[in-house]
Amino acid sequence: MRTGMFFCLLCFNFFAFALPQHSPVPGGIVVIEVPRETKKAHYLKHQTMILEKEGRTFAVIGIPLSASSGSHKIMLLDHDNTTSDLDFEVFNKEYKEQHLTIKNKRKVNPEKRDMDRISREWTEMNRAFTHFDTGLATQTNFILPVDGPISSPFGLKRFLNAQKRNPHSGLDIAAATGTEIKATAAGKVVAKGDYFFNGNTVLLDHGQGLISMYCHMSEINVSIGDKLELGGLIGEVGMTGRVTGPHLHWSVSLNNTRVNPNLFLKNKQESSTDI
Ligand SMILES: [Zn+2]
């Protein structure tokens, strides 16, 4: 009887959300069915999203670009606080290389005086990425925030001025400065700033650790705490921060892991340039 009540509550909270595409590779998303009585799931110490679809329960797990192929596991917690492990497989994926020339050398090799600012901004963004909000209705039906060609796909191995850097953790959409940027899904503004690398940036929380980030904007039209509808105006495309031209850098994060944003879109975007 008690368990039945829990199921009803879960249905109310998690019902009718679209599942992202299952893509068990580094930078991908694993969508794995878990027992109905699952209350929480953790992967690499981060709580993961749980969604319900057609009477079945799924853990939705972001896989880091740095993940190695092979067996991985999530830890499940049920309503009686019993824990169990569930194994899944991650398969290899090779991403292409991208070599870019950045004119502002300070944006590639920051000076000592930049480090405090970079560290402060990283902490601010990390706080948003690690937040797990169960009070928000989880939003997984995404739209493209800007119409335009994909100038840099997700996951590229990056070399800036011939120096190896972290892989590309978002997707770049080329568009003219001033083009409107729309909320990829309904969400709440949880961070906003003019960051050293990312320029004018907004982070939106879509519930259960699902966060979207919009960078390099010329204008920001929202404030922290604002609640946006799907397609709500966030700001305008620009070229602030570390860029080679005007574009939107759009990142999507699950369990503090940047994943391929395409996996949340119905019509997948492919790179328009062969980099
Ligand atoms: Zn980018």
Side-chain angles (χ1 to χ4, degrees):
M1 193 64 186
R2 184 173 63 86
T3 311
M5 277 180 62
F6 273 119
F7 283 168
C8 292
L9 289 169
L10 277 173
C11 290
F12 180 76
N13 282 330
F14 300 141
F15 185 67
F17 301 117
L19 294 172
Q21 186 184 327
H22 174 66
S23 175
V25 297
I29 296 172
V30 165
V31 181
I32 185 168
E33 187 163 11
V34 295
R36 290 277 287 152
E37 59 271 22
T38 302
K39 186 168 71 172
K40 286 183 183 176
H42 285 83
Y43 173 63
L44 302 176
K45 296 185 179 166
H46 291 288
Q47 190 170 351
T48 69
M49 175 182 282
I50 292 180
L51 293 177
E52 180 144 317
K53 191 176 173 72
E54 293 161 2
R56 298 161 70 192
T57 306
F58 298 88
V60 180
I61 310 150
I63 307 299
L65 274 165
S66 59
S68 47
S69 54
S71 183
H72 290 236
K73 67 176 63 181
I74 50 171
M75 193 196 79
L76 306 178
L77 185 74
D78 72 17
H79 288 294
D80 296 326
N81 290 326
T82 309
T83 59
S84 58
D85 288 341
L86 183 61
D87 292 334
F88 61 88
E89 201 75 15
V90 171
F91 299 92
N92 187 45
K93 180 176 168 88
E94 282 298 321
Y95 290 94
K96 292 179 182 175
E97 288 186 3
Q98 182 184 45
H99 294 259
L100 295 173
T101 303
I102 306 289
K103 287 192 182 126
N104 184 348
K105 292 186 172 51
R106 196 169 150 193
K107 297 285 184 190
V108 179
N109 298 107
E111 295 171 7
K112 208 171 172 189
R113 59 188 164 133
D114 299 322
M115 298 317 280
D116 278 352
R117 177 183 168 189
I118 291 168
S119 166
R120 200 170 55 242
E121 293 169 358
W122 185 88
T123 303
E124 202 170 303
M125 285 184 275
N126 198 50
R127 194 180 303 128
F129 282 131
T130 53
H131 185 60
F132 196 90
D133 198 326
T134 50
L136 289 172
T138 311
Q139 304 288 333
T140 54
N141 294 315
F142 279 19
I143 60 167
L144 261 185
V146 163
D147 285 327
I150 304 305
S151 50
S152 280
F154 173 86
L156 296 176
K157 295 174 184 166
R158 277 213 153 150
F159 296 82
L160 306 181
N161 301 352
Q163 298 169 55
K164 191 172 185 189
R165 288 293 181 269
N166 288 332
H168 192 220
S169 59
L171 187 154
D172 290 350
I173 306 171
T177 295
T179 305
E180 288 190 347
I181 300 169
K182 296 167 184 160
T184 194
K188 183 177 157 191
V189 179
V190 287
K192 158 188 171 174
D194 174 12
Y195 300 141
F196 185 81
F197 292 118
N198 292 340
N200 288 324
T201 298
V202 167
L203 282 85
L204 282 186
D205 191 337
H206 307 290
Q208 290 202 73
L210 177 58
I211 315 289
S212 60
M213 179 167 78
Y214 311 80
C215 303
H216 310 310
M217 300 159 74
S218 58
E219 295 285 339
I220 293 178
N221 294 81
V222 293
S223 303
I224 288 181
D226 284 357
K227 288 186 176 167
L228 301 183
E229 297 296 324
L230 170 77
L233 179 66
I234 296 174
E236 296 174 4
V237 170
M239 48 186 302
T240 53
R242 185 171 68 188
V243 294
T244 57
H247 72 278
L248 172 69
H249 172 99
W250 173 43
S251 285
V252 173
S253 183
L254 259 178
N255 46 274
N256 192 28
T257 300
R258 261 51 87 203
V259 296
N260 189 342
N262 275 338
L263 300 172
F264 283 93
L265 295 172
K266 282 203 180 81
N267 303 314
K268 311 297 175 217
Q269 301 298 305
E270 298 298 337
S271 169
S272 61
T273 51
D274 190 22
I275 295 164

